[in-house]
Amino acid sequence: MKLLIKQIAFSILSICIMLFINLNIADAQKKAKSVPALTSFVDPMIGAGGHGHVFVGASVPFGAVQVGPDNHYKGWDWCSGYNYADSLMIGFAQTHLSGTGIGDLADILIMPYTGRVRLSEGINVVKTPATANMVVVNGTAGVEQVTDDSYSSRYSHQSEKVKPGYYSVKLLNYGVDVELTATERVAFHRYHFPAGKEGHIIIDLKTGINSKSFDCNIKQLDPYTLVGRRKSKGWAKDRWIFFAIKSSVPLTKFNVYNDTQLMEGTDGTADAIKGLISFDKAPSTVMLKVGISPVSPENALDNIKAEIPGWDFESVVKQADAKWNKELSTLSVETRSLSDKRIFYTSLFHTMIDPAMFNDHNGDYRGTDKKVYTNVPFTNYSIFSLWDTYRAANPLYILTQPKRTADMINTMLAIYDQQGKLPIWHLDGNETGTMVGISSMQVIAEAYLKGIKGFDAQRAYNAIKGTASQDFRGLNYVKDFKYIPSDAKGGKAPVASALEYGVSDGSTALMAKQMGKMDDYDYFAKRAQEYKQYYDPADGFFKGKLANGQFVANYSPTSTKNNLYSEGNGWQYLWLVPQDVKGLISLLGGDKKFNNKLDSLFVAKAPASEGVLADLTGEIGQYAHGDEPSHATIYLYDFSGEQWKTAEKSRYITKNFYPDNTDGIIGNEDCGQMSAWYVFSSMGFYPVFPASGQYVIGSPVVNKATIQTTSGKPFTVQAVNNSDKNIYIQSISLNGKNYKNSFITHKQMMQGGTMIMTMGSKPNYNFGTEAANRP
């Protein structure tokens, strides 16, 4: 009897336990479903208008494919192919840049349409009185209209849907619904044609952004397969991209054109090749898988087989969403508003479009020397906007993308082997040489100093030293501790170049020191001090010097109409000494004079006659947040004992220059740099001199941010009493202990823990004032 009672009791207990477990599982599942995916906080249209130049379309993090809509290219504000102000679409290219100030790519433009054969993407601009839709094309102001022979179409933003990994739109001229998604190397198109209409799909290899095509080819392999290549000369002087297209329906009618001239057969090679798929009555749905490759059409086909073997469009959309969610989860934040969260995660999203993979699924890639490299032990990347991204985007990758950072470093070392110098601004196997300095040097040094593994440190150091010891772009002067003369033949922005080299040299010195190369440390540390040769104490600016030792005449610190600086003026470049801010403070006469000069930056005005560069947006006086040389400037107050001014400026910029709308980036996004500035600053700190390992404290926008560090120990920053008025730091604790420094180190972050910032509405003038507590 007792045994029976025990058995019954045990059975009842087991049932209760199972019920409890099932209820908890159900509750957990319910909670999981109620927690929105991080991708739901991303709005890819932020920055799609104005001067943001962001990519709009479908991609996965750092993918080679960025498939998306293209407007007719009208100039600077269409560098990514799309601008929110537009209303005419010419098609959907498979590759795009994001946020650059120069256009290129937009390869393999594909456009579905109905009706008769049309072979041009052209438009007419009809002169009209001023209207909201007015544009200026080739000097003519008016409203765009599609020409009779054009396959372009009107569209409405109301029919557009875009989220990470997915884009859709209705082509109003033809009633065709277009959907796009992507994997790393394959674009997936799905077209819904209206019933009973003659239909066409044009594959235009002539059209691109800011480039001229040459030696293009397309051919039909079988009823379902097309392959080809596009070569182009533009910003990148010799770009090659190969492709393969698999169709879900048989392509029974396929013609090849050299621009508008019909060619014989289904295999054509010329400079302006276009392929045309035609249907007497278009199927209700046509799907195309477009694989790209830097190597060959065969590899492009293999990329399709490896990445999208089937035809489940929705599954690929879900996979893309999952990939974005995974990468967005490296940083988790709690915010005071939905808008703040949307701006934060959209900013983080924008940092992961470029750099882009530049290889095949099997690892093959084509190098700068045009040779094909196989059995490569790293993922090869391209689109290195390093003059921009070394300031915040690359430091962010060290925190959130350590494996990819190592791959990017290995890519740079391979480029060094292939072209004899580290990359400057690399684009799909081409060195464009755009911008000043050679910022890959400090990117590599920072990665080493912050403990990134997966690359050969000695090889990396040799590449940095080998590049720094060359005789081009003014380095022949720098390596001998001489200034770059402003009247030197072929000189390019000598003052800006010298200041950027100083950042590189300061970073290299720290790397040499950590590797025990003390002679090299002394040498590069001395080079990092060369900025002082350009300082004119007469008016307190870095100025050009002539070969005779005299400073340039007729100098104006507000003018950008000279050859001394790159996208900036004397006011903006005065502060570009992150490797030696203390030395700069001393040069300007100490804390008080330094602070007065820095205050003056934000109120100084330029004569109207001097004009303003298009890049110099987001101005506060002569501070220009829309261009990168200014990005660390507001954080220099921490170095001179007035941290509260950094807090004020940081909150002003995050609030006013990053709104939650299509104009939400005040200047060119520049491959993630503008957004990376926001990500760091909204968490409450910024890497002024990345190689130093210090993050300088500003004022957090988010209430709480957690970084999933590479050590496996999360680091959390929490803002207490945070609000739009409470922008000043009153006190800080780190892991429960009072913390007086106005900076935190990378090493401290990697150890994990919690930093609590208590905020208030009035400055705490004692925080960060002591020299020992400053960066």
Side-chain angles (χ1 to χ4, degrees):
M1 187 68 179
K2 288 182 179 180
L3 180 61
L4 180 61
I5 292 171
K6 285 182 179 181
Q7 289 176 338
I8 293 171
F10 181 77
S11 297
I12 293 171
L13 179 62
S14 298
I15 291 169
C16 290
I17 290 172
M18 289 303 297
L19 284 170
F20 178 78
I21 291 172
N22 287 334
L23 286 170
N24 274 275
I25 290 173
D27 185 55
Q29 290 174 337
K30 184 178 179 181
K31 287 180 178 178
K33 289 180 180 178
S34 66
V35 175
L38 294 179
T39 49
S40 68
F41 301 115
V42 174
D43 180 2
M45 286 295 188
I46 291 177
H51 302 318
H53 300 186
V54 301
F55 163 66
V56 172
S59 67
V60 296
F62 304 99
V65 162
Q66 303 92 24
V67 57
D70 286 88
N71 307 132
H72 187 273
Y73 181 69
K74 302 176 186 66
W76 192 57
D77 280 332
W78 280 260
C79 283
S80 71
Y82 177 98
N83 189 288
Y84 195 80
D86 217 314
S87 60
L88 280 179
M89 196 166 288
I90 66 171
F92 307 91
Q94 318 312 301
T95 62
H96 293 89
L97 294 169
S98 186
T100 58
I102 305 175
D104 208 320
L105 308 191
D107 300 294
I108 316 159
L109 184 80
I110 301 178
M111 182 66 163
Y113 64 92
T114 59
R116 62 184 178 81
V117 170
R118 301 167 186 264
L119 299 171
S120 169
E121 47 88 4
I123 60 169
N124 279 334
V125 178
V126 181
K127 291 184 178 180
T128 62
T131 68
N133 295 322
M134 189 155 94
V135 296
V136 177
V137 179
N138 297 327
T140 301
V143 175
E144 290 181 303
Q145 291 185 354
V146 177
T147 59
D148 290 340
D149 62 346
S150 173
Y151 53 72
S152 300
S153 176
R154 293 177 296 109
Y155 68 99
S156 167
H157 294 309
Q158 292 179 341
S159 74
E160 284 185 294
K161 181 179 180 182
V162 59
K163 62 181 181 178
Y166 178 84
Y167 175 87
S168 66
V169 70
K170 178 181 282 292
L171 302 176
L172 298 178
N173 285 38
Y174 310 118
V176 178
D177 290 307
V178 175
E179 294 181 277
L180 306 172
T181 188
T183 60
E184 283 74 12
R185 301 165 187 86
V186 184
F188 202 172
H189 300 234
R190 183 162 68 178
Y191 308 142
H192 304 278
F193 284 90
K197 293 287 187 76
E198 177 183 350
H200 306 276
I201 302 172
I202 191 166
I203 301 135
D204 187 341
L205 305 184
K206 174 188 176 183
T207 299
I209 293 177
N210 194 34
S211 65
K212 183 176 178 59
S213 61
F214 71 96
D215 190 27
C216 299
N217 169 264
I218 193 167
K219 67 178 177 180
Q220 186 170 14
L221 285 185
D222 59 49
Y224 294 88
T225 311
L226 306 173
V227 295
R229 68 172 177 269
R230 180 178 190 260
K231 294 184 179 181
S232 63
K233 298 177 182 178
W235 185 13
K237 300 304 180 186
D238 188 13
R239 286 187 61 249
W240 302 1
I241 184 170
F242 301 87
F243 67 90
I245 301 174
K246 297 291 287 187
S247 171
S248 62
V249 300
L251 308 179
T252 57
K253 189 175 182 180
F254 177 72
N255 292 310
V256 180
Y257 295 80
N258 182 12
D259 201 2
T260 59
Q261 298 300 310
L262 181 65
M263 303 177 74
E264 291 187 8
T266 57
D267 181 352
T269 300
D271 291 343
I273 284 291
K274 299 173 184 178
L276 187 67
I277 301 166
S278 296
F279 306 99
D280 293 334
K281 288 188 178 180
S284 60
T285 301
V286 177
M287 291 186 284
L288 301 178
K289 295 184 288 191
V290 186
I292 65 170
S293 165
V295 173
S296 67
E298 293 77 16
N299 278 19
L301 268 174
D302 288 342
N303 290 340
I304 294 174
K305 293 174 185 176
E307 296 184 5
I308 311 182
W311 292 97
D312 190 341
F313 187 89
E314 279 75 17
S315 176
V316 178
V317 173
K318 290 179 181 177
Q319 291 170 24
D321 185 78
K323 290 172 184 177
W324 279 112
N325 268 307
K326 179 177 181 291
E327 303 306 333
L328 291 169
S329 69
T330 58
L331 299 176
S332 58
V333 297
E334 296 177 9
T335 60
R336 290 174 287 121
S337 70
L338 177 61
S339 179
D340 284 345
K341 183 168 285 191
R342 188 159 45 239
I343 295 168
F344 181 90
Y345 279 112
T346 301
S347 296
L348 185 56
F349 164 80
H350 279 144
T351 69
M352 295 186 285
I353 295 173
D354 294 318
M357 295 176 185
F358 189 63
N359 72 346
D360 293 318
H361 188 79
N362 64 5
D364 294 356
Y365 75 94
R366 190 178 299 274
T368 303
D369 52 8
K370 291 294 186 281
K371 295 178 181 178
V372 174
Y373 291 83
T374 61
N375 301 314
V376 179
F378 62 90
T379 299
N380 192 67
Y381 284 87
S382 191
I383 310 182
F384 287 131
S385 183
L386 295 163
W387 180 84
D388 303 293
T389 62
Y390 86 81
R391 305 167 202 268
N394 289 104
L396 184 63
Y397 300 150
I398 287 175
L399 288 176
T400 62
Q401 303 289 334
K403 172 62 169 63
R404 285 192 171 95
T405 295
D407 285 337
M408 292 174 197
I409 301 303
N410 281 311
T411 299
M412 294 177 197
L413 299 183
I415 291 170
Y416 175 79
D417 292 340
Q418 294 158 18
Q419 70 177 27
K421 59 180 178 289
L422 285 168
I424 299 168
W425 211 121
H426 231 254
L427 177 56
D428 285 9
N430 287 255
E431 179 57 78
T432 69
T434 303
M435 306 313 298
V436 297
I438 308 175
S439 302
S440 51
M441 294 192 285
Q442 55 259 44
V443 169
I444 296 170
E446 179 199 5
Y448 169 78
L449 290 162
K450 290 181 176 176
I452 293 295
K453 307 299 182 184
F455 66 92
D456 185 326
Q458 185 59 55
R459 180 184 173 216
Y461 182 77
N462 291 344
I464 294 173
K465 187 176 179 181
T467 300
S469 302
Q470 297 191 23
D471 290 332
F472 74 120
R473 295 170 68 100
L475 283 170
N476 51 316
Y477 297 98
V478 173
K479 69 180 186 180
D480 291 333
F481 310 113
K482 299 175 182 177
Y483 64 86
I484 306 172
S486 296
D487 51 351
K489 186 177 180 180
K492 181 180 180 180
V495 179
S497 294
L499 294 173
E500 293 290 359
Y501 287 142
V503 183
S504 301
D505 291 335
S507 304
T508 304
L510 294 178
M511 184 177 182
K513 184 177 184 180
Q514 188 154 312
M515 296 179 77
K517 302 176 186 294
M518 298 311 296
D519 287 345
D520 282 0
Y521 165 73
D522 291 338
Y523 170 72
F524 283 107
K526 184 177 179 181
R527 278 178 50 157
Q529 296 291 309
E530 289 183 35
Y531 70 91
K532 295 175 182 177
Q533 297 186 72
Y534 300 85
Y535 183 72
D536 185 354
D539 55 9
F541 289 98
F542 293 128
K543 299 160 67 169
K545 259 186 177 180
L546 304 176
N548 62 11
Q550 299 296 311
F551 285 108
V552 295
N554 303 316
Y555 176 81
S556 169
T558 56
S559 175
T560 57
K561 296 178 180 179
N562 54 57
N563 71 337
L564 303 178
Y565 312 105
S566 180
E567 296 183 7
N569 62 27
W571 270 109
Q572 289 137 20
Y573 271 92
L574 176 59
W575 318 100
L576 190 61
V577 191
Q579 77 278 11
D580 187 29
V581 181
K582 291 180 180 178
L584 180 62
I585 292 171
S586 177
L587 192 66
L588 267 61
D591 288 345
K592 185 175 181 180
K593 290 184 177 180
F594 178 88
N595 287 329
N596 288 340
K597 188 88 169 185
L598 190 50
D599 290 343
S600 298
L601 169 71
F602 297 99
V603 296
K605 295 181 180 181
S609 60
E610 290 184 347
V612 179
L613 289 175
D615 301 85
L616 300 184
T617 53
E619 291 182 289
I620 311 172
Q622 288 302 297
Y623 174 88
H625 191 72
D627 211 40
E628 279 67 21
S630 291
H631 276 192
T633 303
I634 65 167
Y635 286 90
L636 300 188
Y637 282 116
D638 285 62
F639 292 79
S640 54
E642 294 190 340
Q643 192 280 334
W644 58 275
K645 290 182 179 178
T646 292
E648 287 180 345
K649 299 295 188 295
S650 175
R651 282 298 189 95
Y652 179 88
I653 293 168
T654 53
K655 181 178 180 180
N656 292 281
F657 294 165
Y658 291 87
D660 184 12
N661 57 43
T662 57
D663 289 338
I665 301 176
I666 199 68
N668 298 167
E669 163 64 1
D670 286 321
C671 299
Q673 170 57 29
M674 286 287 288
S675 289
W677 187 95
Y678 182 88
V679 170
F680 272 119
S681 294
S682 67
M683 291 192 295
F685 48 86
Y686 187 82
V688 170
F689 179 40
S692 72
Q694 293 183 342
Y695 302 92
V696 179
I697 292 172
S699 178
V701 175
V702 303
N703 286 344
K704 187 176 182 181
T706 300
I707 302 168
Q708 303 300 329
T709 69
T710 55
S711 68
K713 302 174 182 177
F715 180 79
T716 298
V717 179
Q718 186 173 351
V720 177
N721 298 330
N722 199 21
S723 71
D724 287 339
K725 292 183 178 180
N726 293 347
I727 66 173
Y728 301 104
I729 293 172
Q730 305 300 298
S731 63
I732 295 179
S733 69
L734 179 62
N735 298 327
K737 297 181 179 179
N738 187 35
Y739 190 78
K740 296 183 179 180
N741 295 340
S742 60
F743 66 94
I744 186 168
T745 67
H746 186 77
K747 183 178 180 180
Q748 287 173 308
M749 281 191 184
M750 292 303 102
Q751 293 170 349
T754 300
M755 171 178 274
I756 297 176
M757 301 182 184
T758 301
M759 312 301 293
S761 60
K762 296 181 179 180
N764 175 3
Y765 296 112
N766 295 318
F767 176 70
T769 55
E770 297 298 325
N773 302 131
R774 302 179 192 177

